[in-house]
Amino acid sequence: MNMAIETKVLTTHVPLHLAEKVEAMASRLERSRGWVMKQALAAWVDQEEERHRMTLEALDDVDAGRVIDHQAVRAWADSLGTDAPLPPPSA
């Protein structure tokens, strides 16, 4: 059973040095430039979707009051290079 996936052509201008890197990678992987670009775009979209999900989760934490005081984090960070580092602060 041949299930064709619908596609859409997207075009963009990229700096020459980036295009050359894509071509070199495609050659090294013995794949097409299009394949490399699809892999890169899919990875970027996944990353941005995860970043958005984590942002919404963090905003839910703020709304619920699950936060750590800035001064506590600052004191902990300042202690990291000392002989007596503080334990990480908790909510």
Side-chain angles (χ1 to χ4, degrees):
M1 180 182 290
N2 185 4
M3 298 179 62
I5 297 174
E6 288 188 59
T7 63
K8 181 176 183 175
V9 175
L10 301 175
T11 60
T12 186
H13 290 270
V14 297
L16 185 57
H17 72 278
L18 182 56
E20 289 169 348
K21 286 182 178 183
V22 168
E23 289 176 0
M25 187 170 292
S27 177
R28 187 173 71 245
L29 296 173
E30 297 181 354
R31 296 288 192 154
S32 69
R33 286 181 310 206
W35 184 89
V36 171
M37 295 301 296
K38 282 187 261 185
Q39 295 297 309
L41 184 58
W44 179 80
V45 167
D46 288 347
Q47 176 185 331
E48 290 304 310
E49 287 175 342
E50 178 66 4
R51 184 186 325 259
H52 181 68
R53 185 199 63 74
M54 290 173 63
T55 298
L56 295 177
E57 184 179 299
L59 290 172
D60 286 344
D61 284 342
V62 170
D63 290 344
R66 293 184 297 266
V67 296
I68 300 173
D69 180 69
H70 175 75
Q71 294 300 351
V73 173
R74 183 73 181 220
W76 168 73
D78 289 345
S79 77
L80 291 178
T82 70
D83 292 333
L86 297 171
S90 59

